[in-house]
Amino acid sequence: MTEYRIVDPTTNALVRSYPAQDDSEIERAVTAAADAFASWRRRPIAERADAALAVSREFRKRREDLAAIITREMGKTTPEALGEVDLSAAIFAYYAEHGPTFAADRQLDIRGGGEACVRSEPLGALLGIMPWNYPYYQVARFAAPNLVLGNTILLKHAPNCPESAQAIEDIMTAAGLPAGCYVNVRADHDQAARIIEDPRVQGVSLTGSERAGRAVGEIAGRHLKKYVLELGGSDPFIVLPDADLDAAVDAAVEGRMGNAGQACTSSKRFIVTDAVHDRFLAAFTEAVAALTVGHPSHSGVAFGPLSSEEAARTVISQVADAVEQGATAVTGGARIARPGAFVEPTILTGVTPGMRAYHEEIFGPVAVVHRVADAEEAIRLANDTPYGLGSVVFSRDIAAAKAVADALDVGMASINGPSGTQEDLPFGGVKRSGVGRELGEYGMSEFVNRKVIRVHPA
């Protein structure tokens, strides 16, 4: 049985453990969510939107305490933790404001007389399986639109985030959501599979690894359940010859080293055209080497530890594999000599297709820099990946940058700025980066019954 444990990544010391719930507790949770759906869906959407706004206010009211929880659980710096709480509050406020419009009836212009509309109705109880790297934000982008739409939520969080998971449920209760509308479950893998299979559960959303996505998609597909999968990424960051290099370097540092590099949409492969490669690499290396790594609650720290000892070992093994096969760590490349899961900010060059760092996602503060001849070669290299989540293109020629962005096999492209997320922009990828979209209007377009109502002429 899975144990939910808080292990301080700055020391690797166990803080507290929580047992997974037994089958009877899981059954009560599913029953509560399914029962709550019957009445929650019938409430006016304006009331559900008001509840989402109350959730937003609770996030803001508890801002400092919530940030401290995730700093303790997974090592996020205090400024980044506060920013995540603010973003989560903004997501709930966004759907409180715009959700009723997104879900409004849409009239159809039909032939043959009469009238018809498409009505957006909720599906039922949904299971969310969420990761540790953004403990509040990942939940918010799934839960907010679906609660406003009228679905109810069962939420299985990552095993190293039990305190933040409980904090979210406490917020929902404090905001006045009826019992069963949002239920935190500490389930193991087998129990999660049975929740997906349960006929009272109508869909599942997972943000996590490709391996987890395959498993969840297979179970959901076998039981004809709707699913959304937000998986990994190996995002390209393309620097064209006329790019503003100062801005590109700033965005590269932010886009790769934020959250200690533990983000699906981190820029991971820096593809730089020959004309500016040497200057970009020199400036990028200087900036990365100057980053301060330390305790995540201390001021002036760029990032803290990785989320766990296992995460640190995985990243170091990927770097070591590349170096052993001829790549160069132009800065970093090793563990930091102190307790905890600390890894040096690292830049690799000379990475080739035979190395793990070429095709695998590196989920840590490691940037891979490639030299290419021109934009055409940059596009080929950028698309030579099983992933297709986000991307960045830097160029003063916006038309040229858009042309490159159009040629990339990705779900999102950012021009002259780092990849990021905000409540009103759709989020999602293609290829092995997942299925479906979240945030913006699309966040209310996945777990919904688009019911057509036709009135024939008299």
Side-chain angles (χ1 to χ4, degrees):
M1 180 173 281
T2 300
E3 186 178 46
Y4 284 66
R5 307 165 75 235
I6 300 174
V7 176
D8 183 349
T10 67
T11 63
N12 291 333
L14 176 65
V15 177
R16 187 176 177 185
S17 62
Y18 302 73
Q21 294 170 322
D22 62 30
D23 288 348
S24 64
E25 291 174 299
I26 298 297
E27 169 61 25
R28 284 196 293 273
V30 174
T31 299
D35 289 350
F37 173 68
S39 58
W40 183 244
R41 69 176 303 184
R42 298 302 178 194
R43 290 200 178 197
I45 193 169
E47 290 186 15
R48 299 196 298 263
D50 286 344
L53 186 59
V55 171
S56 174
R57 291 171 177 154
E58 287 294 326
F59 266 99
R60 296 192 188 282
K61 184 169 72 175
R62 304 171 187 223
R63 182 174 183 263
E64 302 286 340
D65 290 341
L66 293 171
I69 289 171
I70 57 176
T71 294
R72 180 167 56 251
E73 284 182 329
M74 52 75 61
K76 194 184 298 285
T77 66
T78 298
E80 289 182 327
L82 291 168
E84 181 179 338
V85 175
D86 292 343
L87 175 58
S88 302
I91 290 170
F92 276 96
Y94 174 81
Y95 284 106
E97 179 180 359
H98 297 284
T101 299
F102 295 155
D105 287 358
R106 300 196 178 186
Q107 298 299 317
L108 301 179
D109 184 9
I110 60 172
R111 294 180 295 177
E115 62 183 70
C117 74
V118 175
R119 179 158 296 161
S120 296
E121 295 186 343
L123 293 181
L126 308 174
L127 173 64
I129 303 175
M130 296 296 134
W132 49 261
N133 58 333
Y134 291 93
Y136 302 127
Y137 156 69
Q138 304 279 12
V139 174
R141 72 185 193 187
F142 163 62
N146 283 300
L147 286 170
V148 173
L149 183 62
N151 293 312
T152 56
I153 304 296
L154 294 151
L155 202 291
K156 178 199 176 302
H157 220 314
N160 60 331
C161 294
E163 194 174 353
S164 54
Q166 185 59 51
I168 298 170
E169 186 178 58
D170 292 344
I171 283 173
M172 299 293 178
T173 300
L177 268 73
C181 287
Y182 183 98
V183 186
N184 177 45
V185 294
R186 294 197 302 274
D188 62 25
H189 295 309
D190 290 340
Q191 290 170 324
R194 291 196 292 273
I195 293 173
I196 299 171
E197 294 169 354
D198 194 303
R200 295 169 294 178
V201 174
Q202 302 304 313
V204 56
S205 178
L206 174 135
T207 298
S209 68
E210 181 184 341
R211 178 182 178 184
R214 288 179 184 274
V216 166
E218 189 275 332
I219 297 167
R222 190 168 68 245
H223 292 272
L224 301 178
K225 304 290 181 72
K226 180 66 185 289
Y227 58 88
V228 169
L229 305 175
E230 298 290 356
L231 309 178
S234 188
D235 290 7
F237 184 114
I238 296 173
V239 184
L240 297 178
D242 65 341
D244 180 334
L245 290 188
D246 290 339
V249 169
D250 288 345
V253 175
E254 178 183 348
R256 174 69 283 212
M257 300 299 165
N259 205 40
Q262 299 170 118
C264 297
T265 54
S266 288
S267 293
K268 300 181 175 78
R269 297 177 297 136
F270 295 83
I271 302 170
V272 188
T273 48
D274 185 70
V276 292
H277 173 274
D278 291 349
R279 285 184 289 152
F280 174 87
L281 179 60
F284 189 30
T285 301
E286 181 180 5
V288 168
L291 295 175
T292 300
V293 182
H295 196 284
S297 66
H298 293 173
S299 63
V301 171
F303 61 85
L306 300 194
S307 63
S308 66
E309 179 64 20
E310 181 183 1
R313 289 177 178 172
T314 298
V315 168
I316 290 299
S317 71
Q318 291 170 307
V319 172
D321 172 78
V323 172
E324 288 168 4
Q325 296 188 64
T328 299
V330 296
T331 189
R335 295 290 295 267
I336 295 175
R338 60 178 293 171
F342 291 89
V343 172
E344 292 178 338
T346 301
I347 296 176
L348 293 175
T349 61
V351 172
T352 56
M355 304 171 186
R356 291 173 59 193
Y358 187 88
H359 281 299
E360 290 182 7
E361 178 180 26
I362 303 180
F363 218 61
V366 179
V368 176
V369 178
H370 297 278
R371 182 196 295 264
V372 294
D374 52 26
E376 185 177 346
E377 185 180 357
I379 292 166
R380 286 198 301 270
L381 180 55
N383 288 336
D384 186 19
T385 174
Y387 299 106
L389 192 54
S391 61
V392 173
V393 181
F394 261 85
S395 172
R396 287 186 171 91
D397 184 338
I398 301 302
K402 287 182 176 180
V404 171
D406 286 344
L408 299 178
D409 299 330
V410 297
M412 301 172 286
S414 177
I415 293 173
N416 292 337
S419 285
T421 185
Q422 60 189 57
E423 60 273 19
D424 54 355
L425 284 177
F427 185 102
V430 295
K431 299 195 286 189
R432 294 185 187 176
S433 286
V435 178
R437 291 293 183 272
E438 295 181 304
L439 296 178
E441 183 173 0
Y442 293 88
M444 291 188 74
S445 298
E446 295 289 351
F447 297 102
V448 60
N449 173 22
R450 300 290 193 193
K451 180 186 288 184
V452 175
I453 300 176
R454 168 74 187 275
V455 178
H456 289 273

